[in-house]
Amino acid sequence: MEKGAIDTPNSRFGVRWRGFDQGEVNSFIQQMTDEIRDLKIESSTLKRTLQEQEKELKEFKERENTIRNVLMNAHKSIEQMKANAEKEARLILSEAELKAEKTLQAAQQRLGQLHEDIAELKRHRILLETRLRSIILSYQQILDTDKERDKENNTEDKVQAPNGQ
């Protein structure tokens, strides 16, 4: 028998003169026995329900903890991915700035070289123009000298021709 259980159906009472009506007492005892049995069944059912609900609550708490951990890990992962993306973006930006600076320096050097080349070409042009003018002047002088010789020769030929005839 369970602790605190009462063996109601087997309970017997002594009979006294002027005591209670035995039929009513037995009827009351039967009602109490039925009520106690129903309460025990209900209590047992409630205990099982409580155990099941406690088990479910434990499972829900475990799920909640798991979900909380997953969310925390996801948050950490997102923060880490964000930090990594920011680092990578800064790195890409730095590399792009460095590349742009190198490209700009190369362009400036090329521009400087082109200016030097242009200046050198201008010097060559001036030198060539000077040489060409000098050559043209020399040929002009030669032509003028030849023209004067021809003129002198013609004049001498004219002068000699009348005397020599």
mmCIF file of all heavy atoms in Angstrom, residues 131-155:
data_model
loop_
_atom_site.group_PDB
_atom_site.id
_atom_site.type_symbol
_atom_site.label_atom_id
_atom_site.label_comp_id
_atom_site.label_asym_id
_atom_site.label_seq_id
_atom_site.Cartn_x
_atom_site.Cartn_y
_atom_site.Cartn_z
ATOM 1 N N ARG A 131 71.731 74.526 -90.385
ATOM 2 C CA ARG A 131 72.606 73.847 -91.364
ATOM 3 C C ARG A 131 72.058 74.011 -92.780
ATOM 4 O O ARG A 131 72.811 74.254 -93.724
ATOM 5 C CB ARG A 131 72.730 72.365 -91.024
ATOM 6 C CG ARG A 131 73.608 72.106 -89.841
ATOM 7 C CD ARG A 131 73.733 70.620 -89.596
ATOM 8 N NE ARG A 131 74.539 70.329 -88.420
ATOM 9 C CZ ARG A 131 74.624 69.165 -87.856
ATOM 10 N NH1 ARG A 131 73.965 68.137 -88.364
ATOM 11 N NH2 ARG A 131 75.366 68.988 -86.796
ATOM 12 N N LEU A 132 70.738 73.827 -92.897
ATOM 13 C CA LEU A 132 70.118 73.951 -94.223
ATOM 14 C C LEU A 132 70.294 75.368 -94.757
ATOM 15 O O LEU A 132 70.629 75.562 -95.931
ATOM 16 C CB LEU A 132 68.641 73.576 -94.141
ATOM 17 C CG LEU A 132 67.883 73.460 -95.462
ATOM 18 C CD1 LEU A 132 68.544 72.443 -96.384
ATOM 19 C CD2 LEU A 132 66.442 73.087 -95.214
ATOM 20 N N ARG A 133 70.096 76.376 -93.894
ATOM 21 C CA ARG A 133 70.298 77.770 -94.336
ATOM 22 C C ARG A 133 71.756 77.970 -94.745
ATOM 23 O O ARG A 133 72.037 78.637 -95.746
ATOM 24 C CB ARG A 133 69.943 78.741 -93.222
ATOM 25 C CG ARG A 133 68.469 78.879 -92.981
ATOM 26 C CD ARG A 133 68.198 79.906 -91.880
ATOM 27 N NE ARG A 133 66.880 79.751 -91.308
ATOM 28 C CZ ARG A 133 65.773 80.230 -91.860
ATOM 29 N NH1 ARG A 133 65.816 80.868 -92.986
ATOM 30 N NH2 ARG A 133 64.611 80.035 -91.274
ATOM 31 N N SER A 134 72.647 77.363 -93.931
ATOM 32 C CA SER A 134 74.072 77.490 -94.250
ATOM 33 C C SER A 134 74.382 76.838 -95.583
ATOM 34 O O SER A 134 75.104 77.404 -96.417
ATOM 35 C CB SER A 134 74.888 76.857 -93.121
ATOM 36 O OG SER A 134 76.244 76.842 -93.431
ATOM 37 N N ILE A 135 73.828 75.649 -95.803
ATOM 38 C CA ILE A 135 74.061 74.943 -97.084
ATOM 39 C C ILE A 135 73.454 75.733 -98.238
ATOM 40 O O ILE A 135 74.089 75.921 -99.291
ATOM 41 C CB ILE A 135 73.488 73.504 -97.025
ATOM 42 C CG1 ILE A 135 74.310 72.653 -96.052
ATOM 43 C CG2 ILE A 135 73.440 72.868 -98.397
ATOM 44 C CD1 ILE A 135 73.701 71.289 -95.742
ATOM 45 N N ILE A 136 72.215 76.215 -98.016
ATOM 46 C CA ILE A 136 71.545 76.999 -99.068
ATOM 47 C C ILE A 136 72.366 78.258 -99.357
ATOM 48 O O ILE A 136 72.572 78.624 -100.526
ATOM 49 C CB ILE A 136 70.101 77.347 -98.667
ATOM 50 C CG1 ILE A 136 69.241 76.081 -98.689
ATOM 51 C CG2 ILE A 136 69.517 78.416 -99.578
ATOM 52 C CD1 ILE A 136 67.834 76.269 -98.155
ATOM 53 N N LEU A 137 72.851 78.891 -98.293
ATOM 54 C CA LEU A 137 73.655 80.101 -98.477
ATOM 55 C C LEU A 137 74.940 79.768 -99.221
ATOM 56 O O LEU A 137 75.352 80.515 -100.140
ATOM 57 C CB LEU A 137 73.966 80.731 -97.109
ATOM 58 C CG LEU A 137 74.646 82.068 -97.116
ATOM 59 C CD1 LEU A 137 73.827 83.113 -97.888
ATOM 60 C CD2 LEU A 137 74.882 82.550 -95.700
ATOM 61 N N SER A 138 75.544 78.615 -98.879
ATOM 62 C CA SER A 138 76.775 78.202 -99.582
ATOM 63 C C SER A 138 76.482 77.968 -101.057
ATOM 64 O O SER A 138 77.236 78.423 -101.930
ATOM 65 C CB SER A 138 77.342 76.918 -98.978
ATOM 66 O OG SER A 138 77.753 77.117 -97.669
ATOM 67 N N TYR A 139 75.388 77.234 -101.334
ATOM 68 C CA TYR A 139 75.038 76.990 -102.737
ATOM 69 C C TYR A 139 74.684 78.302 -103.443
ATOM 70 O O TYR A 139 75.011 78.486 -104.616
ATOM 71 C CB TYR A 139 73.886 75.987 -102.852
ATOM 72 C CG TYR A 139 74.328 74.543 -102.673
ATOM 73 C CD1 TYR A 139 73.768 73.727 -101.711
ATOM 74 C CD2 TYR A 139 75.300 73.999 -103.505
ATOM 75 C CE1 TYR A 139 74.170 72.414 -101.547
ATOM 76 C CE2 TYR A 139 75.709 72.683 -103.346
ATOM 77 C CZ TYR A 139 75.145 71.901 -102.372
ATOM 78 O OH TYR A 139 75.545 70.611 -102.221
ATOM 79 N N GLN A 140 74.047 79.191 -102.695
ATOM 80 C CA GLN A 140 73.696 80.494 -103.283
ATOM 81 C C GLN A 140 74.984 81.243 -103.661
ATOM 82 O O GLN A 140 75.072 81.828 -104.736
ATOM 83 C CB GLN A 140 72.866 81.326 -102.289
ATOM 84 C CG GLN A 140 72.403 82.654 -102.827
ATOM 85 C CD GLN A 140 71.372 82.500 -103.932
ATOM 86 O OE1 GLN A 140 70.512 81.639 -103.868
ATOM 87 N NE2 GLN A 140 71.473 83.309 -104.962
ATOM 88 N N GLN A 141 75.946 81.173 -102.755
ATOM 89 C CA GLN A 141 77.217 81.843 -103.026
ATOM 90 C C GLN A 141 77.922 81.192 -104.211
ATOM 91 O O GLN A 141 78.502 81.886 -105.053
ATOM 92 C CB GLN A 141 78.119 81.820 -101.786
ATOM 93 C CG GLN A 141 77.641 82.742 -100.690
ATOM 94 C CD GLN A 141 78.470 82.590 -99.414
ATOM 95 O OE1 GLN A 141 79.301 81.698 -99.305
ATOM 96 N NE2 GLN A 141 78.204 83.470 -98.443
ATOM 97 N N ILE A 142 77.874 79.849 -104.235
ATOM 98 C CA ILE A 142 78.493 79.144 -105.364
ATOM 99 C C ILE A 142 77.811 79.544 -106.662
ATOM 100 O O ILE A 142 78.473 79.815 -107.671
ATOM 101 C CB ILE A 142 78.447 77.610 -105.150
ATOM 102 C CG1 ILE A 142 79.363 77.198 -103.992
ATOM 103 C CG2 ILE A 142 78.809 76.867 -106.417
ATOM 104 C CD1 ILE A 142 79.231 75.749 -103.567
ATOM 105 N N LEU A 143 76.461 79.568 -106.590
ATOM 106 C CA LEU A 143 75.723 79.953 -107.798
ATOM 107 C C LEU A 143 76.051 81.399 -108.201
ATOM 108 O O LEU A 143 76.222 81.697 -109.391
ATOM 109 C CB LEU A 143 74.217 79.796 -107.576
ATOM 110 C CG LEU A 143 73.686 78.355 -107.561
ATOM 111 C CD1 LEU A 143 72.213 78.346 -107.178
ATOM 112 C CD2 LEU A 143 73.888 77.698 -108.910
ATOM 113 N N ASP A 144 76.098 82.256 -107.191
ATOM 114 C CA ASP A 144 76.423 83.654 -107.494
ATOM 115 C C ASP A 144 77.840 83.752 -108.073
ATOM 116 O O ASP A 144 78.086 84.499 -109.026
ATOM 117 C CB ASP A 144 76.312 84.532 -106.233
ATOM 118 C CG ASP A 144 74.865 84.741 -105.816
ATOM 119 O OD1 ASP A 144 73.956 84.475 -106.642
ATOM 120 O OD2 ASP A 144 74.627 85.143 -104.652
ATOM 121 N N THR A 145 78.770 82.980 -107.488
ATOM 122 C CA THR A 145 80.149 82.985 -107.979
ATOM 123 C C THR A 145 80.179 82.449 -109.397
ATOM 124 O O THR A 145 80.851 83.021 -110.275
ATOM 125 C CB THR A 145 81.046 82.118 -107.065
ATOM 126 O OG1 THR A 145 80.931 82.550 -105.736
ATOM 127 C CG2 THR A 145 82.491 82.163 -107.496
ATOM 128 N N ASP A 146 79.461 81.351 -109.648
ATOM 129 C CA ASP A 146 79.420 80.790 -111.008
ATOM 130 C C ASP A 146 78.778 81.783 -111.969
ATOM 131 O O ASP A 146 79.219 81.914 -113.125
ATOM 132 C CB ASP A 146 78.633 79.468 -111.028
ATOM 133 C CG ASP A 146 79.454 78.295 -110.524
ATOM 134 O OD1 ASP A 146 80.683 78.455 -110.377
ATOM 135 O OD2 ASP A 146 78.852 77.227 -110.258
ATOM 136 N N LYS A 147 77.785 82.465 -111.502
ATOM 137 C CA LYS A 147 77.092 83.429 -112.358
ATOM 138 C C LYS A 147 78.039 84.578 -112.692
ATOM 139 O O LYS A 147 78.100 85.039 -113.837
ATOM 140 C CB LYS A 147 75.848 83.948 -111.633
ATOM 141 C CG LYS A 147 74.834 84.558 -112.532
ATOM 142 C CD LYS A 147 73.618 84.896 -111.687
ATOM 143 C CE LYS A 147 72.454 85.239 -112.521
ATOM 144 N NZ LYS A 147 71.308 85.611 -111.760
ATOM 145 N N GLU A 148 78.794 85.011 -111.720
ATOM 146 C CA GLU A 148 79.743 86.097 -111.974
ATOM 147 C C GLU A 148 80.838 85.613 -112.911
ATOM 148 O O GLU A 148 81.301 86.363 -113.776
ATOM 149 C CB GLU A 148 80.351 86.588 -110.654
ATOM 150 C CG GLU A 148 79.426 87.516 -109.930
ATOM 151 C CD GLU A 148 80.065 88.103 -108.699
ATOM 152 O OE1 GLU A 148 81.302 88.316 -108.668
ATOM 153 O OE2 GLU A 148 79.328 88.332 -107.751
ATOM 154 N N ARG A 149 81.307 84.393 -112.736
ATOM 155 C CA ARG A 149 82.328 83.850 -113.629
ATOM 156 C C ARG A 149 81.801 83.779 -115.051
ATOM 157 O O ARG A 149 82.532 84.121 -116.002
ATOM 158 C CB ARG A 149 82.739 82.461 -113.177
ATOM 159 C CG ARG A 149 84.033 82.482 -112.442
ATOM 160 C CD ARG A 149 84.595 81.081 -112.291
ATOM 161 N NE ARG A 149 84.734 80.863 -110.878
ATOM 162 C CZ ARG A 149 84.578 79.761 -110.221
ATOM 163 N NH1 ARG A 149 84.243 78.680 -110.840
ATOM 164 N NH2 ARG A 149 84.743 79.705 -108.947
ATOM 165 N N ASP A 150 80.573 83.269 -115.112
ATOM 166 C CA ASP A 150 79.986 83.190 -116.447
ATOM 167 C C ASP A 150 79.880 84.591 -117.045
ATOM 168 O O ASP A 150 80.115 84.787 -118.244
ATOM 169 C CB ASP A 150 78.590 82.546 -116.403
ATOM 170 C CG ASP A 150 78.672 81.038 -116.254
ATOM 171 O OD1 ASP A 150 79.759 80.466 -116.473
ATOM 172 O OD2 ASP A 150 77.629 80.427 -115.906
ATOM 173 N N LYS A 151 79.514 85.539 -116.232
ATOM 174 C CA LYS A 151 79.377 86.905 -116.709
ATOM 175 C C LYS A 151 80.749 87.429 -117.130
ATOM 176 O O LYS A 151 80.891 88.064 -118.173
ATOM 177 C CB LYS A 151 78.815 87.760 -115.570
ATOM 178 C CG LYS A 151 77.959 88.874 -115.998
ATOM 179 C CD LYS A 151 77.504 89.569 -114.733
ATOM 180 C CE LYS A 151 76.373 90.445 -114.956
ATOM 181 N NZ LYS A 151 75.974 91.143 -113.795
ATOM 182 N N GLU A 152 81.733 87.155 -116.334
ATOM 183 C CA GLU A 152 83.079 87.612 -116.661
ATOM 184 C C GLU A 152 83.567 86.900 -117.920
ATOM 185 O O GLU A 152 84.211 87.504 -118.778
ATOM 186 C CB GLU A 152 84.045 87.333 -115.497
ATOM 187 C CG GLU A 152 83.862 88.251 -114.343
ATOM 188 C CD GLU A 152 84.776 87.900 -113.189
ATOM 189 O OE1 GLU A 152 85.687 87.049 -113.316
ATOM 190 O OE2 GLU A 152 84.561 88.457 -112.115
ATOM 191 N N ASN A 153 83.297 85.622 -117.973
ATOM 192 C CA ASN A 153 83.721 84.872 -119.147
ATOM 193 C C ASN A 153 82.995 85.401 -120.385
ATOM 194 O O ASN A 153 83.605 85.493 -121.453
ATOM 195 C CB ASN A 153 83.452 83.373 -118.983
ATOM 196 C CG ASN A 153 84.455 82.715 -118.043
ATOM 197 O OD1 ASN A 153 85.537 83.262 -117.824
ATOM 198 N ND2 ASN A 153 84.088 81.565 -117.522
ATOM 199 N N ASN A 154 81.784 85.704 -120.251
ATOM 200 C CA ASN A 154 81.022 86.240 -121.385
ATOM 201 C C ASN A 154 81.561 87.614 -121.758
ATOM 202 O O ASN A 154 81.655 87.958 -122.924
ATOM 203 C CB ASN A 154 79.531 86.349 -121.038
ATOM 204 C CG ASN A 154 78.832 85.006 -121.153
ATOM 205 O OD1 ASN A 154 79.371 84.084 -121.783
ATOM 206 N ND2 ASN A 154 77.674 84.914 -120.546
ATOM 207 N N THR A 155 81.879 88.354 -120.747
ATOM 208 C CA THR A 155 82.409 89.689 -121.029
ATOM 209 C C THR A 155 83.780 89.531 -121.668
ATOM 210 O O THR A 155 84.105 90.245 -122.628
ATOM 211 C CB THR A 155 82.522 90.492 -119.702
ATOM 212 O OG1 THR A 155 81.330 90.415 -118.996
ATOM 213 C CG2 THR A 155 82.869 91.906 -119.968
#
